């Protein structure tokens, strides 16, 4: 399998190869929800905003570095189940501005600004050969990063369960069914302004696939979602949903590993798969029973896939 993936992703004219992963049980939360094994730090961005990051496995940088970029209304804790990766590679997470433990500055509620914050993180930690793994909103953050800053410090990218563009438009009806136009996004933002608590319940339910979250998982995620700045979330969603990077996908120069939630509630599967087929060096991997948060739902299988990808990219 390693040789097949290496051959696929190192060939500039390679096409899509699809892989399907059967479900595995989620790791017990008690094993991963502690941050005691993570090096927590603060980053001050070039516009003066304090952001929280975590770093594990710093001594494994030679084997590869993965920087996890979370989705909307989330933070770096979404990757707690992926902490075992740090036994073999360097693993970094970031709380975006307005989310998690990071500062809520009241400005910079744009995907391009988050991409600039990611660059600040790479410079701060002197990460020279990163694989960026972006989930949901993390897709547009990474695409914005590549368009603005190119491939300096980047050896590969991975996306998780995000359609190539969300809004439906002429010739494209493969986006996000519940957020396919500006009117639907405006309704979401109205709900954010009045009742983030209730909206959080829906966000959590939509994150899972065939197997619903446990009561403990619901409690954990809700506590984290309520740390977000609702106004910031609304402005950011307007920007994220409107972005369309389909024209850039054929020009992505690095290997791309694209994860598809086979039971996702957030996007059309064909819209997610489009990313893996449109890039020159792409691979789609489908987790049939999992949804939008497949890296949480099937951590062992996800960790194995991303570990192989990071090591391959780092060895190129």
């Amino acid at each position: 399998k390693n040789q097949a993936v290496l051959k696929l992703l190192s060939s500039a004219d390679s096409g899509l190869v699809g892989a399907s992963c059967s479900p595995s049980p989620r790791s017990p939360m008690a094993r991963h929800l502690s941050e005691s094994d993570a090096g927590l730090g603060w980053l001050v961005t070039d516009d003066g905003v304090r952001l929280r990051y975590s770093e594990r496995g710093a001594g494994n940088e030679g084997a590869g570095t993965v920087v996890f970029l979370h989705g909307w209304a989330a933070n770096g804790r979404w990757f707690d189940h992926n902490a075992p990766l740090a036994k073999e590679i360097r693993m970094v997470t970031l709380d975006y501005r307005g989310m998690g433990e990071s500062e809520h500055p009241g400005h910079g509620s744009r995907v391009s600004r988050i991409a600039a914050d990611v660059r600040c993180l790479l410079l701060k930690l002197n990460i020279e050969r990163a694989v960026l793994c972006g989930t949901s909103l993390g897709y547009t953050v990474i695409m914005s990063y590549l368009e603005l800053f190119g491939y300096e410090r980047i050896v590969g990218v991975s996306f998780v369960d995000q359609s190539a563009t969300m809004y439906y438009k002429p010739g494209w009806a493969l986006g996000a069914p519940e957020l396919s136009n500006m009117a639907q996004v405006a309704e979401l933002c109205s709900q954010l302004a009045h009742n983030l608590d209730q909206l959080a319940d829906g966000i959590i339910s939509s994150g899972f696939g065939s197997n619903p979250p446990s009561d403990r998982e619901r409690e954990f995620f809700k506590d984290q979602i309520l740390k977000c700045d609702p106004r910031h979330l609304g402005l950011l969603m307007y920007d994220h949903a409107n972005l369309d990077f389909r024209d850039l996908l054929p020009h992505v120069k690095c290997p791309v590993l694209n994860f598809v939630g086979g039971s996702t509630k957030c996007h059309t599967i064909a819209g997610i798969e489009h990313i893996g087929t449109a890039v020159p060096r792409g691979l789609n991997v489908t987790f049939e029973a999992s949804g939008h948060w497949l890296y949480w739902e099937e951590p062992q299988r996800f960790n194995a896939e991303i570990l192989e990808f990071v090591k391959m990219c780092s060895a190129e």
Side-chain angles (χ1 to χ4, degrees), residues 99-176:
M99 305 186 209
E101 304 301 327
S102 290
E103 185 180 351
H104 298 189
H107 62 86
S109 301
R110 287 173 295 278
V111 171
S112 59
R113 181 60 252 184
I114 296 178
D117 293 344
V118 172
R119 179 166 174 78
C120 291
L121 175 71
L122 299 184
L123 293 172
K124 162 79 172 180
L125 297 182
N126 195 30
I127 299 173
E128 297 182 347
R129 294 177 56 79
V131 170
L132 302 181
C133 180
T135 71
S136 190
L137 166 67
Y139 160 74
T140 53
V141 171
I142 291 174
M143 294 302 292
S144 182
Y145 183 101
L146 296 180
E147 186 168 54
L148 293 171
F149 306 114
Y151 296 84
E152 181 186 359
R153 300 178 180 267
I154 307 300
V155 295
V157 299
S158 178
F159 306 123
V160 181
D161 206 64
Q162 174 67 37
S163 54
T165 186
M166 290 174 62
Y167 283 171
Y168 290 7
K169 54 198 72 177
W172 177 263
L174 302 176

Side-chain angles (χ1 to χ4, degrees), residues 82 97 121 225 252 276 292:
N82 310 114
R97 61 179 63 206
L121 175 71
I225 292 170
V252 173
H292 202 49

